[in-house]
Amino acid sequence: MDLHLGRATASTAERAAVDAELGPPATRWEGGGRDRAEDGRVSYGGRDARSQRHLLLPVLHAVQKQIGWVSDGALTYVAQRLTVPPAEVYGVATFYSMLSIRPRPGRVAHVCDDIACRIGGANPLIDQLTADFGPAGTPRGDATWIRSPCLGLCERAPAVMFQLAGDEADESHAPAAANQVNAVLGGGSPAVFVPGSTPQTLPPRDESLRLLRRIGVADPDSLDDYRAHGGYEALRRALQLGPAGVIREITDSKLMGRGGAAFPTGVKWSGVASAPARPHYLICNADESEPGTFKDRVLMEEDPFALVEAMTIAGYAAGCELGYLYIRGEYPLATRRLEGAIAQARARGLLGLDVMGRGFAFDIVLRRGAGAYICGEETALMNSIEGYRGEPRNKPPFPTVAGLFGKPTLINNVETLFNVLDVILGTGPAYATVGTEKSTGTKLFCVSGCVTSPGVYEVPFGTTLREMIDLAGGVRDGRPLQALLLGGAAGTFVPEEQFDTPLTFEGTREIGASLGSGVIMLFDDTVDLVDILTRVAGFFRDESCGQCVPCRVGTVRQEEALIRIGTGRSNGSTAADVELLAELSLVMKDASICGLGQTAPAALQSALALNLLGVGASGAADTSTTPESSTGNKQRTPDAS
């Protein structure tokens, strides 16, 4: 039995939003009129109808954008148009946080309360919104506000994203301090986020930059300006080298993936290029959702043509005719600029059936996510593109063998692809001379939290944590440093005696840490780390797809134990809660399907090992420090909140 959604019907506006994406329905079997006599005898479906399922998420986006929410009638009409069972349409629509199946005003402020924004003043802002407007989700007129996980604006915390509905509405980022969330949602246009989050590009400019070299120099909206600053020289050389030559240079460069797994890029490209099944697909994973991470957003906003060029080179080398650029739904400015870059490149013959007149066919489809951290996992991302819930798949088979639509698929993230341009403009061996033997090239780090100059920094591999802190101006206001989180919410806390560790894949591995998504977040002595880690636990609880029991249940139990510890409600059995957290960590690491469950306990376990919470890994209270100690660790009391 399928879901019939109360046999609701779509409104005229909802039908128009769907038809604008899919074109008008041809038959009544897919929601058209009933004036075709042959429709009474013939139905059209099968493979041709099912082949449109990958348009499900864009269609739901179109309805949400036009109406502000997705009604049962709209879900029913979408199911008819795509011949997808209504229950599955409902399942996809309810999977993503940016889509609402309940009535909602046309103006929604997503107010970030994640870890960087908590440090930056999100809680007082939320208190003001609650007092002056009403609790989260309260509709008033054409506006409301809701709490949000990290919006990727950590260097400008606290952050807000305005989600707007209607023909002329356009979503935007804004620093929360700008007009205090649009004068507490009283009206007017929300402030547009102004980029400029790369301190090294400000005077005096660091002329050694490679990945960031065009930021602040080239116009991100102009293809001509991009070419005037060296754009498309790499693609021209790639076409001279040929596919095998490009892969040889990438392999010789020893370029490792920058998405966290650190897989050799040349091996991945070679595997897809040699796969016998056709067609081959390329995916750029731009679903950057790790709390504390914003480097890919800055690259896409400020140098969008470079990503288009790099994807074209990757598609050429691996024999892919079509690439999907899957961008995070909470990145409106990056989305607009990439759409413009793709359109300009296509109009100038740099994408399409005959790229640069060389008989090479490659094009890019931009696919927008809708608020699901799990879709940063490569197989969940593929499910999302195909029109399914973004739930990870079991591996093997790996994407290079059977990925998107069951075909060989090359997946790289934004930073990895940006490095490709430098490799091809020079040579692979020349690129490998930068950094260290096992970690070549430069790396982008997202520095935020209690730091003087937050932002994206580019440094050669081998730079130490201590040097990174100094580069960003040190701890804000000269306060004592309580803790440093490396790698993001799924990363680890690093003690000060390890700050001289070189930031390389091998260096961090030796101290039991990882570079992860390149997050370096500082916490001074004023920060309540129990509150921070409880928020991290809440993030993983919310973002678990729920497919496997260890992650679905483990993330909930982890948060519950932290709440008991933080509020002094362990009833004298804090040690039991710490032991429970250790057991949960083992189970989630060993039995979760994907990296979300496997790394969800990482930050907490490292904090307990370093006794950052005033409760050791054994559950015993730390008696060697006081609330006034230089570490800033706060002693919890039964009445603490």
Side-chain angles (χ1 to χ4, degrees), residues 383-468:
N383 274 342
S384 181
I385 291 176
E386 292 179 13
Y388 296 91
R389 290 167 63 89
E391 297 174 340
R393 306 172 184 175
N394 287 315
K395 293 184 286 189
F398 294 95
T400 53
V401 176
L404 189 65
F405 306 117
K407 300 299 183 181
T409 303
L410 173 61
I411 305 180
N412 286 131
N413 84 331
V414 173
E415 186 184 350
T416 306
L417 289 166
F418 263 72
N419 276 276
V420 167
L421 300 180
D422 267 357
V423 173
I424 301 303
L425 283 172
T427 65
Y431 179 92
T433 62
V434 179
T436 67
E437 182 181 355
K438 295 182 179 179
S439 301
T440 61
T442 61
K443 180 75 182 80
L444 298 179
F445 288 96
C446 312
V447 185
S448 64
C450 303
V451 64
T452 301
S453 300
V456 176
Y457 289 84
E458 180 182 0
V459 295
F461 274 109
T463 304
T464 67
L465 263 175
R466 196 178 306 278
E467 290 170 336
M468 286 300 307

Side-chain angles (χ1 to χ4, degrees), residues 228-242:
H229 288 88
Y232 280 97
E233 291 179 6
L235 177 58
R236 195 174 301 279
R237 181 167 188 269
L239 294 172
Q240 294 171 350
L241 290 170

Side-chain angles (χ1 to χ4, degrees), residues 208-214 226 234-235 237-238 241 246-247 249-260 262-266 269 284 295-296 299-300 303 305-314 412-436 439-445 456-461 505 515-517:
S208 68
L209 298 175
R210 302 171 70 143
L211 304 180
L212 303 179
R213 65 183 178 273
R214 273 183 290 266
Y226 174 69
L235 177 58
R237 181 167 188 269
L241 290 170
V246 171
I247 292 176
E249 297 294 348
I250 296 297
T251 302
D252 290 347
S253 73
K254 301 180 184 178
L255 174 64
M256 307 292 278
R258 304 295 200 250
F263 192 82
T265 305
W269 286 29
C284 172
K295 58 185 176 63
D296 290 351
L299 291 175
M300 292 185 290
D303 202 3
F305 291 99
L307 182 56
V308 174
E309 181 183 6
M311 287 184 67
T312 308
I313 293 171
N412 286 131
N413 84 331
V414 173
E415 186 184 350
T416 306
L417 289 166
F418 263 72
N419 276 276
V420 167
L421 300 180
D422 267 357
V423 173
I424 301 303
L425 283 172
T427 65
Y431 179 92
T433 62
V434 179
T436 67
S439 301
T440 61
T442 61
K443 180 75 182 80
L444 298 179
F445 288 96
V456 176
Y457 289 84
E458 180 182 0
V459 295
F461 274 109
F505 297 118
L515 296 178
S517 56

Side-chain angles (χ1 to χ4, degrees), residues 114-122 157 448-450 476 521-523 527 532:
D114 222 307
I115 51 179
C117 286
R118 292 175 100 80
I119 299 172
S448 64
C450 303
R476 186 175 58 205
M521 192 175 296
L522 279 61
F523 303 89
V527 177
I532 293 295

Side-chain angles (χ1 to χ4, degrees), residues 56-75:
L56 177 53
L57 186 54
V59 169
L60 292 173
H61 263 306
V63 176
Q64 175 83 30
K65 177 70 167 62
Q66 183 64 35
I67 311 301
W69 64 291
V70 185
S71 71
D72 286 356
L75 292 174

Side-chain angles (χ1 to χ4, degrees), residues 5 7-20 25 31 59 62-78 80-81 167:
L5 302 171
R7 302 192 183 279
T9 58
S11 68
T12 301
E14 289 168 334
R15 292 174 65 96
V18 175
D19 293 346
V59 169
V63 176
Q64 175 83 30
K65 177 70 167 62
Q66 183 64 35
I67 311 301
W69 64 291
V70 185
S71 71
D72 286 356
L75 292 174
T76 300
Y77 185 58
V78 170
Q80 287 179 320
R81 290 301 319 271
D167 291 328

